[in-house]
C-alpha cells in the first residue's frame, strides 16, 4: 500500500527549491509536535522528583538517576503488569486469528443453508459499541465467577466480527482450484485450511494480528471493570492505577507511562509500515 | 497405508498427523465451525444486548433482580429530569464529537498531503505522526495530565515565559472538555493521515500530469482533481472518526474522571458511573441503548461506504 514508488518525488521542478525547504520545515515541526512529548516524558523519567517539580522545567535531566524505576517497581509490580499484558494480548490475538480465519474459510469456500444470514448476523455486531454491552458483560462474567481472572480478560474477545469479515474478503480471493485440487486428492478440510488457506493469507493475518494485538494491549475499560487484584492488572490498568493512587508522585507516574509507551514504540519503529497498515486497513480504532 | 489404483499412497501425501487423521465430512465442516461460533455470539453479544434492553425497562435492583419492577419507559423518561446527568453528558458528548471530527478530518488530510511530498524520509515522518496512536491511551492520558499541570507542567512554563497567563486546563470546568479533546485530536491525527495518504497514492499520476500540461496550477489541481477523487475517502474518514468520537472513555477516565464537577461527563463515562458507582442499572442501560441507536445510524452509513477496498 505505501510502497508505491511511481508517485513523484516532488510535485514541481527542482529538488532543493525554496518551497521544498518550507515543506520540510513544516513537516519537521509537525513531527516534532507529535514526538517531543514522548522524548520529554522519557527524559523526565530519569530526573529526580525536585527537578521535575521545579518551576523552570529542564529538558535534559540535570541530576540523572534511575531511582524512579527502582522505586516504582518496588511500589507496584510493573514487570508483572507488562507480562500480564503480553500474555493476555498474545492469547487474544492468536485466538482471534484462529477463529477469524476458520470462519473466513467457511464463509469464503463453502455453500450451505442460511450462509449469508449467519454472516450478516455476525457482521452486524460490529455496530454494537462496547459501552452498550459492558455492564451486562460485567454481570455475566461475575456470574461465571471470572472476575479477577485471566480468563475473564480473554473470554469476551475470542471472536471478532471484523476479523471474520476481513478473512472472508481475503480468502475469497484465493483460487477455488487450489481448494478443489486438495479435496480431489482426498485432503481433509482442516488440512486444506491449515496447509493451503492459512499460508496464502499471511498478509491479511499479519494486518489483523497487528490490529488485534495493539487494540488488546492498549485496552483499559474492560480490565478496569473486572480486575481488582493488583497482581492481575494489565499495563494500562497499572498506569491508570498509578495515576490515581500516586497522583502527587509525578516522578513515578511519568516513569510508569514511560514503561507503558517505550516497548510499544520500539516495536513500532521496527515494523512501522506493517503496523501502520494493520491499524489503517482495519480502520476501526 | 492405502494404495489407490495408480499405486500412490494417498494418505501419506498429507502426512499422518492430526490434520489428516481428523477426517471431517465436507458438508458437516461449516456447521462444526459455526455452531460454537454462533453459540459464543449469542452468549457474549446478543444476550448482553437483550439483557440491557430488559434491564432498561425495569427499576432494577442489583442485589435481587427478581424483585425488580417493570416500569416500561420510565428510565428513559427520567433521563430528562433535572437530577439526571444525561443531558449534560449528552451535550458534552456532542461537543466532543463535533470538535474532534471537525478538527481531525482536515488535519488528517493536510498531514497526508504533507507526507505525500516525501518519499525517502516518509517512513520517519510516518513514525512520528503515527506514534501516539499505537500507545495506550492510559499512558497518553497520564503524560498529558502532567503536561497540562497548572503549576508545574511544561506547557504553563512555556506560557509563563511567553507572558501568557497560566491556564487551568483540565482542572477548570470551562477548559476541561476542550483540553481532553485536544489530546484526543493530537493522538489520532495520524489515523486519518494514513488513510488519506493511501487515497492520494491511488490517484493515477497521469491524471495530474495531464491537468498540469493543460495549465492547471497547484491550487486548481487540488480543488478540481485531488479533492474530488478523495471524496469517498473523506466520507469514510469522517464517519469512522464520528463513531470513534462517541466512544471516548479511557482518556476521560484517567485524565478527569468526569470532573471538575460534571464538566467532562460523556455518555460512556456516565454509563459506567450510573451502572457501577451508583448501581442504577436501569438508567445505565437506558443511556447505553440511546447511545447504541445514535451510533447505529452512523454505522449503517459507514457500511454503505465500506465497499471493500482492501489492498495488499
Amino acid at each position: 500500500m505505501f510502497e508505491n514508488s511511481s508517485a513523484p518525488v516532488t510535485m514541481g521542478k527542482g529538488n532543493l527549491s525554496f518551497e521544498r525547504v518550507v515543506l520540510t520545515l513544516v513537516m519537521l515541526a509537525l513531527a516534532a509536535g507529535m514526538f517531543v512529548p514522548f522524548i520529554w516524558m522519557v527524559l523526565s523519567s530519569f530526573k529526580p522528583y525536585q527537578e521535575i517539580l521545579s518551576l523552570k522545567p529542564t529538558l535534559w535531566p540535570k541530576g540523572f538517576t534511575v531511582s524512579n524505576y527502582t522505586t516504582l517497581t518496588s511500589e507496584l509490580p510493573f514487570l508483572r503488569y507488562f507480562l500480564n499484558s503480553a500474555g493476555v494480548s498474545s492469547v487474544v490475538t492468536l485466538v482471534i486469528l484462529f477463529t477469524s480465519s476458520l470462519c473466513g474459510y467457511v464463509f469464503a469456500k463453502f455453500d450451505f443453508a442460511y450462509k449469508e444470514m449467519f454472516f450478516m448476523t455476525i457482521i452486524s455486531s460490529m455496530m454494537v459499541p462496547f459501552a452498550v454491552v459492558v455492564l451486562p458483560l460485567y454481570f455475566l462474567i461475575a456470574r461465571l465467577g471470572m472476575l479477577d481472572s485471566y480468563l475473564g480478560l480473554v473470554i469476551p474477545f475470542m471472536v471478532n466480527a471484523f476479523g471474520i469479515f476481513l478473512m472472508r474478503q481475503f480468502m475469497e480471493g484465493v483460487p477455488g482450484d487450489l481448494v478443489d485440487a486438495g479435496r480431489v486428492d482426498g485432503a481433509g478440510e482442516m488440512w486444506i485450511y491449515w496447509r493451503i488457506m492459512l499460508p496464502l493469507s499471511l498478509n491479511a493475518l499479519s494486518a489483523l494480528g497487528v490490529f488485534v494485538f495493539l487494540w488488546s494491549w492498549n485496552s483499559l475499560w474492560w480490565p478496569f471493570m473486572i480486575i481488582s487484584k493488583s497482581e492481575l492488572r494489565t499495563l494500562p490498568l497499572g498506569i491508570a492505577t498509578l495515576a490515581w493512587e500516586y497522583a502527587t508522585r509525578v516522578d513515578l507516574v511519568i516513569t510508569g507511562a514511560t514503561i507503558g509507551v517505550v516497548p510499544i514504540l520500539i516495536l513500532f519503529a521496527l515494523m512501522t509500515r506493517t503496523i501502520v497498515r494493520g491499524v489503517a486497513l482495519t480502520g476501526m480504532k | 497405508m492405502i494404495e489407490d489404483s495408480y499405486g500412490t499412497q494417498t494418505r501419506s501425501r498429507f502426512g499422518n498427523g492430526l490434520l489428516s487423521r481428523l477426517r471431517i465430512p465436507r458438508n458437516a465442516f461449516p456447521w462444526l465451525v459455526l455452531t460454537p461460533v454462533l453459540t459464543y455470539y449469542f452468549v457474549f453479544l446478543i444476550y448482553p444486548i437483550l439483557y440491557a434492553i430488559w434491564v432498561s425497562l425495569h427499576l432494577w435492583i442489583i442485589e435481587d433482580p427478581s424483585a425488580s419492577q417493570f416500569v416500561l419507559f420510565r428510565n428513559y423518561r427520567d433521563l430528562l429530569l433535572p437530577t439526571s446527568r444525561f443531558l449534560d453528558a449528552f451535550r458534552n458528548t456532542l461537543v466532543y464529537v463535533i470538535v474532534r471530527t471537525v478538527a481531525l478530518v482536515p488535519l488528517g488530510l493536510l498531514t497526508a498531503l504533507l507526507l505525500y511530498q516525501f518519499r525517502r524520509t516518509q517512513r520517519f515522518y510516518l513514525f512520528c505522526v503515527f506514534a501516539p496512536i499505537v500507545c495506550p491511551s492510559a499512558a497518553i492520558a497520564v503524560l498529558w495530565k502532567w503536561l497540562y499541570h497548572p503549576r508545574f507542567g511544561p506547557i504553563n512554563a512555556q506560557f509563563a515565559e511567553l507572558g501568557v497567563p497560566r491556564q487551568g486546563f483540565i482542572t477548570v470546568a470551562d477548559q476541561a472538555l476542550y483540553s481532553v479533546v485536544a489530546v484526543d485530536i493530537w493522538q489520532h491525527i495520524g489515523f486519518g493521515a494514513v488513510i488519506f495518504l493511501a487515497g492520494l497514492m491511488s490517484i493515477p499520476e497521469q491524471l495530474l500530469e495531464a491537468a498540469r500540461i493543460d495549465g492547471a496550477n497547484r491550487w486548481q489541481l487540488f480543488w478540481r482533481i485531488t479533492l474530488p477523487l478523495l471524496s469517498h475517502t473523506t466520507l469514510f474518514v469522517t464517519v469512522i472518526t464520528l463513531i470513534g468520537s462517541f466512544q471516548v472513555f479511557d482518556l476521560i477516565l484517567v485524565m478527569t474522571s468526569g470532573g471538575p464537577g460534571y464538566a467532562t461527563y460523556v455518555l460512556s463515562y456516565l454509563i459506567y458511573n450510573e451502572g457501577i458507582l451508583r448501581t442504577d442499572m436501569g438508567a445505565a442501560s437506558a443511556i447505553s441503548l440511546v447511545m447504541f441507536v445514535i451510533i447505529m445510524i452512523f454505522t449503517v452509513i459507514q457500511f454503505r461506504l465500506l465497499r471493500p477496498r482492501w489492498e495488499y
Side-chain angles (χ1 to χ4, degrees), chain A residues 84-98:
Chain A
N84 286 343
S85 271
V88 169
S89 300
S90 304
V91 172
V92 166
T93 307
L94 289 177
V95 171
I96 287 185
L97 285 182
F98 178 69

Side-chain angles (χ1 to χ4, degrees), chain B residues 86-102 177-178 181 242 245-248 265-267 294 298:
Chain B
F86 174 75
L87 288 178
D88 289 320
F90 190 76
R91 201 203 56 228
N92 287 340
T93 307
L94 222 54
V95 170
Y96 198 95
V97 169
I98 291 171
V99 172
R100 189 176 179 272
T101 310
V102 166
L177 190 63
Y178 296 98
V181 78
L242 270 172
S245 310
F246 269 107
Q247 316 216 28
V248 57
Y265 265 66
V266 290
L267 289 178
I294 299 171
F298 288 110

Side-chain angles (χ1 to χ4, degrees), chain A residues 147-159:
Chain A
L147 293 182
D148 267 324
S149 73
Y150 290 121
L151 204 56
L153 287 175
V154 171
I155 217 161
F157 308 108
M158 300 207 304
V159 179

Side-chain angles (χ1 to χ4, degrees), chain A residues 19 155 183 186 281 283 285, chain B residues 23 26 40 133 240 310:
Chain A
E19 184 192 302
I155 217 161
R183 285 176 184 157
L281 280 186
K285 199 186 156 166
Chain B
R23 318 265 340 154
R26 201 181 143 195
Y40 175 90
I133 295 181
I240 283 257
W310 315 110

Side-chain angles (χ1 to χ4, degrees), chain A residues 1-2 4 7-9 11-12 19-20 23-24 26-28 30-31 33-35 37-38 40-41 52-53 55-57 102-103 105-107 110 112-113 118 122-123 125 127-133 135-140 143 155-159 161-162 165-166 169-170 183 185-191 194 203 214 218 220-221 224-225 236 239-240 243-244 250 253-254 257 260-261 264-265 268-270 272-273 275-276 279-281 283-285, chain B residues 10 13-14 19-20 22-24 26 29-31 33-34 37-38 40-41 43-49 51-52 62 111 114-119 122-123 125-140 142-147 151-152 154 157 161 166 186-189 191 194-195 197-198 201 205 212 218 221 240 247 249-250 253-254 257 268 271-272 275-276 281 284 288-289 291-292 295-296 299-300 302-303 306 308 310-312:
Chain A
M1 168 186 180
F2 297 108
N4 182 352
V9 174
M11 286 183 87
E19 184 192 302
R20 191 78 195 150
L23 277 176
T24 309
V26 175
M27 187 75 248
L28 279 173
L30 180 67
M34 302 303 282
F35 207 69
F38 291 116
W40 181 86
M41 177 178 76
I52 301 180
L53 283 191
L55 280 173
K56 276 207 163 293
L102 204 55
C103 291
Y105 173 43
V106 164
F107 281 117
F110 287 83
F112 50 91
F118 287 139
I122 293 176
I123 292 309
S125 74
M127 68 172 86
V128 181
F130 188 63
V132 174
V133 290
L135 293 180
L137 216 46
Y138 170 81
F139 289 106
L140 179 64
R143 215 174 328 148
I155 217 161
F157 308 108
M158 300 207 304
V159 179
F162 183 74
F165 173 76
L166 189 74
Q169 205 70 40
F170 193 85
R183 285 176 184 157
D185 284 354
E189 296 302 336
M190 278 312 275
W191 194 94
W194 194 256
N203 273 336
L214 276 181
N218 291 342
L220 172 66
W221 197 351
F224 168 69
M225 291 291 284
I239 294 168
W244 293 318
V250 67
V253 171
I254 289 286
V261 158
I264 208 100
L265 283 185
F268 183 46
L270 294 176
T272 309
R273 286 187 194 274
I275 290 180
V276 165
V279 178
L281 280 186
M284 295 299 284
K285 199 186 156 166
Chain B
T10 316
R13 253 212 251 164
F14 304 105
L19 287 179
S20 310
L22 213 70
R23 318 265 340 154
I24 304 161
R26 201 181 143 195
F29 190 72
W31 303 108
V33 172
L34 287 184
V37 168
L38 289 171
Y40 175 90
Y41 249 87
V43 175
F44 288 100
L45 199 89
I46 297 174
Y47 166 74
I49 295 173
Y51 188 81
I62 288 188
T111 309
L114 208 51
L115 282 168
Y116 185 68
Q117 304 296 320
F118 298 86
R119 218 31 44 135
Q122 194 187 65
R123 188 177 184 269
Y125 294 127
L126 204 57
F127 172 79
C128 291
V129 171
F130 212 73
I133 295 181
V134 299
C135 295
S137 292
I140 297 290
V142 163
L143 166 64
W144 278 88
K145 202 174 173 177
W146 184 246
L147 291 173
R151 270 177 66 84
F152 305 112
E161 227 151 83
R166 287 178 175 274
W186 171 83
Q187 192 190 358
H188 287 98
I189 285 179
F191 180 72
V194 297
I195 296 181
L197 186 61
M201 286 179 157
E205 176 57 17
R212 234 175 268 142
R218 286 276 192 83
L221 224 54
I240 283 257
Q247 316 216 28
F249 181 79
D250 296 3
L253 177 71
V254 180
S257 299
S268 57
I271 292 168
Y272 155 72
I276 299 295
M281 279 293 285
S288 70
L289 288 163
M291 187 172 162
F292 187 16
I295 291 182
M296 192 155 70
T299 317
V300 169
Q302 181 205 346
F303 272 29
L306 202 99
W310 315 110
E311 295 173 57
Y312 290 96

